[in-house]
Amino acid sequence: MGPTHAYGYQWPPAGTLARTLLALIVVLAAGCSRPDTLTTVKAEGVLHVITRNAPSIYYQDREGPTGYDYELVQRFADHLGVELRVRLADGNTDILSVLDQGYAHIGFTGLSVGNDWGERFRSLANGLKSRSIVIYHRGGDYPGTAEDLAADGVVVHVAGESNHLRHLEGLKQQLPAFRYQIHPGLDAAGILQRVETGEFSAAVVDANELALNQVFYPDVKRGFSIGDQESIAWLFPASHDDSLYREAETFLEAISEDGTLAHLRERFYGHLDQLGYVGSLTFEKHLRERLPEYLDLFRRHGEETGIDWRLLAAIGYQESNWRRNAVSKTGVRGLMMLTRNTANHIGIDNRLNPEQSIEGGARYFRQVHRMIPNDVPEPDRTWFALASYNVGFGHLEDARRLAESAGRNPHRWLDVKEFLPLLAQKEWYSKTRHGYARGHEPVIYVQNIRRYYDVLSHRFEPQRERTLTAGTSTGELVIPSASNDYQNETGPREQTTTLVLPREMGITPPTL
């Protein structure tokens, strides 16, 4: 491997250099002075992309890298027949600097084609459009117009390095009383969080970012838009020739015509309401109509793995609403919604087979639970395992470290769940080992499963099966005590739930 540039760019290894030299010789023999960018990319076998963490662009989930732009450029790299190498920058300033120096072929900033790039970059619409939206706290008055904000003296807050600044400056020129404040250290999640808490009365965010995060910020209300809808841009260095740009343009036109682009938009933006809570009436209906078909399977594999079958059933309901043919936008499928890598690792051939899916989910949860430190007491250890099952062990550990650094208890879910959502904010995830995560999702995930588990515990008698538990040095089978009360965030005691889970479980699955 060659030397690494300050921004993470690595010079090609020896084999790549050999291929590049061969391409140069071929082109020189044809009478040309040097190969164009497209030829060089194909000869080296690598497409270099520079980007940043953002839910609408690129992030890591439990299945690996994802995000609209990431999935799109991966398809482009496959089209070229080359490897995709993604480098993460701290922000758009760094991305633009890397592109200015020609150290990457394409940059993703989330900025629009409407920006004045001068002679620096060629911009190409990526198939997404968005606009700048004024948001406000639910408890405040609805700001119908910019004139209302100016008249009321409301300061509008905005993240730095965004599409919104030129729109806000335009309003400022039209309305001298209009005020806005730029926050260079915040991203969209940081702005949304401060509107949610009421620290900011009003702000401006990207419509796509708002759509992706709205469920996590129920006290944030959408106001009016400023500026027209604009296409989001891929940026190509103007210092490179336009051969790669033209190939990308042709590629995007082709997948727009064959429906691939529309399918990708649907995958990331078509079902955003699926993260909402399932109503109690719907759950009761599914208890009567769907659970009986799988009840024996949950009981059998719960007994085999030493996990309370009602917990397995609650996980299955959260994952798929007990639908055997469920398929997510990312291709996770089956009643327990296993990834392909997880299914392969635990030896599951058919994820759509309910018995295999439930067996695989039970075995996978055993492995995840095993990773949680032994000194975390129950039921918190189970809540941590559920969060890890959803977002990945590394991100959970990041949240625990943040909690500990703030003087909170890293062994207590009540404390750690306050820090998981911070992993979506740049000011926090930049301090962690594993970076950005949609940290609100595991909090909602655990909360939902606990609700479903409580209902199942009421509807069905406590589990009769004896299970090996912590502290039994002789290996004797005992039934755990039901004495652990769990304190929720508001103080009152919740109903006691005894989760029958083994202390020693299998190996670490590769998907984590």
Side-chain angles (χ1 to χ4, degrees):
M1 186 67 68
T4 302
H5 185 267
Y7 286 105
Y9 178 86
Q10 291 182 321
W11 297 108
T16 302
L17 287 172
R19 290 194 297 271
T20 304
L21 290 173
L22 179 61
L24 283 168
I25 292 171
V26 171
V27 174
L28 287 171
C32 299
S33 59
R34 59 178 299 176
D36 59 28
T37 303
L38 178 60
T39 300
T40 301
V41 168
K42 289 184 175 182
E44 292 182 353
V46 178
L47 179 66
H48 291 282
V49 169
I50 182 76
T51 186
R52 59 183 174 85
N53 273 304
S56 58
I57 302 174
Y58 172 95
Y59 63 95
Q60 292 265 353
D61 68 6
R62 67 179 181 179
E63 301 167 60
T66 188
Y68 177 85
D69 283 297
Y70 172 80
E71 298 289 349
L72 189 57
V73 78
Q74 181 63 70
R75 285 166 170 76
F76 182 48
D78 292 343
H79 164 76
L80 297 177
V82 301
E83 174 192 352
L84 174 64
R85 291 187 188 172
V86 177
R87 301 288 185 265
L88 291 179
D90 189 52
N92 285 345
T93 298
D94 288 342
I95 294 174
L96 299 180
S97 176
V98 169
L99 293 173
D100 276 331
Q101 298 175 74
Y103 291 137
H105 299 120
I106 311 175
F108 303 149
T109 60
L111 300 176
S112 71
V113 297
N115 286 278
D116 182 12
W117 301 115
E119 300 297 321
R120 298 173 66 190
F121 312 114
R122 299 180 181 89
S123 63
L124 178 62
N126 72 350
L128 278 184
K129 293 185 177 181
S130 193
R131 60 180 22 159
S132 300
I133 300 292
V134 173
I135 57 174
Y136 65 101
H137 188 268
R138 180 185 297 272
D141 296 330
Y142 171 70
T145 64
E147 287 80 0
D148 293 337
L149 293 171
D152 294 338
V154 176
V155 177
V156 177
H157 299 268
V158 62
E161 303 180 339
S162 67
N163 285 316
H164 322 307
L165 300 180
R166 54 194 173 89
H167 299 309
L168 291 172
E169 185 56 33
L171 288 175
K172 178 69 175 176
Q173 293 178 7
Q174 299 173 23
L175 302 167
F178 180 82
R179 294 188 298 158
Y180 67 93
Q181 182 176 347
I182 302 172
H183 298 271
L186 296 182
D187 55 8
I191 294 291
L192 286 164
Q193 177 64 31
R194 285 160 175 78
V195 176
E196 170 77 9
T197 61
E199 180 181 347
F200 293 167
S201 298
V204 175
V205 296
D206 179 87
N208 291 341
E209 296 279 1
L210 179 61
L212 288 167
N213 289 284
Q214 182 75 76
V215 69
F216 307 129
Y217 303 100
D219 286 330
V220 173
K221 298 288 288 182
R222 178 173 177 145
F224 60 93
S225 61
I226 57 175
D228 297 326
Q229 192 174 58
E230 296 178 324
S231 295
I232 305 302
W234 281 9
L235 298 180
F236 297 74
S239 59
H240 296 174
D241 62 70
D242 67 353
S243 57
L244 184 65
Y245 171 89
R246 287 187 283 105
E247 184 69 17
E249 185 177 42
T250 301
F251 168 77
L252 290 175
E253 289 174 354
I255 65 171
S256 178
E257 292 176 0
D258 68 16
T260 300
L261 202 56
H263 177 75
L264 198 59
R265 284 194 297 266
E266 172 68 18
R267 171 177 164 181
F268 285 95
Y269 295 94
H271 302 285
L272 295 178
D273 60 344
Q274 287 184 347
L275 290 177
Y277 300 143
V278 179
S280 59
L281 291 178
T282 303
F283 184 54
E284 285 289 333
K285 181 174 183 289
H286 291 164
L287 273 173
R288 296 191 305 270
E289 298 178 357
R290 295 183 181 178
L291 180 59
E293 181 179 358
Y294 309 115
L295 190 57
D296 289 341
L297 294 176
F298 281 121
R299 282 175 167 156
R300 183 194 314 159
H301 292 293
E303 181 178 4
E304 291 174 354
T305 56
I307 299 172
D308 190 331
W309 73 264
R310 296 166 299 177
L311 178 64
L312 291 181
I315 295 173
Y317 190 76
Q318 172 65 22
E319 291 287 352
S320 70
N321 289 359
W322 295 326
R323 291 180 294 121
R324 66 169 66 200
N325 295 322
V327 178
S328 80
K329 66 182 183 294
T330 57
V332 185
R333 57 183 58 203
L335 195 145
M336 300 297 283
M337 298 298 274
L338 302 176
T339 67
R340 184 185 301 277
N341 286 341
T342 299
N344 290 339
H345 173 71
I346 58 182
I348 297 302
D349 299 323
N350 184 0
R351 289 178 289 165
L352 297 180
N353 179 289
E355 180 165 8
Q356 291 192 36
S357 184
I358 292 171
E359 178 187 4
R363 290 167 56 189
Y364 179 63
F365 184 75
R366 278 172 55 100
Q367 295 175 356
V368 173
H369 189 277
R370 171 65 177 83
M371 298 177 71
I372 306 303
N374 291 338
D375 55 351
V376 176
E378 291 289 5
D380 295 72
R381 192 178 184 195
T382 293
W383 309 150
F384 285 162
L386 289 171
S388 179
Y389 188 98
N390 175 259
V391 77
F393 181 76
H395 292 308
L396 174 66
E397 286 297 286
D398 284 343
R400 294 183 66 222
R401 292 188 188 100
L402 289 175
E404 187 173 25
S405 66
R408 307 292 288 276
N409 187 349
H411 292 353
R412 192 170 68 166
W413 175 247
L414 176 64
D415 292 330
V416 174
K417 75 173 186 177
E418 295 182 16
F419 288 83
L420 275 165
L422 301 182
L423 299 180
Q425 300 180 35
K426 178 182 173 182
E427 61 189 304
W428 292 95
Y429 71 68
S430 61
K431 304 173 184 177
T432 67
R433 178 179 177 183
H434 298 92
Y436 175 89
R438 291 172 64 83
H440 301 80
E441 291 185 5
V443 175
I444 293 175
Y445 184 87
V446 173
Q447 183 173 344
N448 283 353
I449 289 176
R450 292 178 63 185
R451 289 178 175 179
Y452 302 146
Y453 179 82
D454 283 344
V455 174
L456 289 164
S457 297
H458 276 94
R459 294 291 295 271
F460 299 89
E461 289 187 10
Q463 179 171 318
R464 302 293 186 184
E465 295 81 6
R466 293 171 177 255
T467 307
L468 182 65
T469 58
T472 57
S473 59
T474 64
E476 177 187 2
L477 295 179
V478 299
I479 298 177
S481 167
S483 62
N484 288 332
D485 288 342
Y486 187 84
Q487 302 292 323
N488 66 18
E489 63 270 22
T490 58
R493 291 190 175 195
E494 295 183 349
Q495 180 184 355
T496 299
T497 58
T498 302
L499 302 180
V500 186
L501 293 165
R503 189 175 185 83
E504 296 300 326
M505 304 180 189
I507 61 173
T508 302
T511 52
L512 296 181

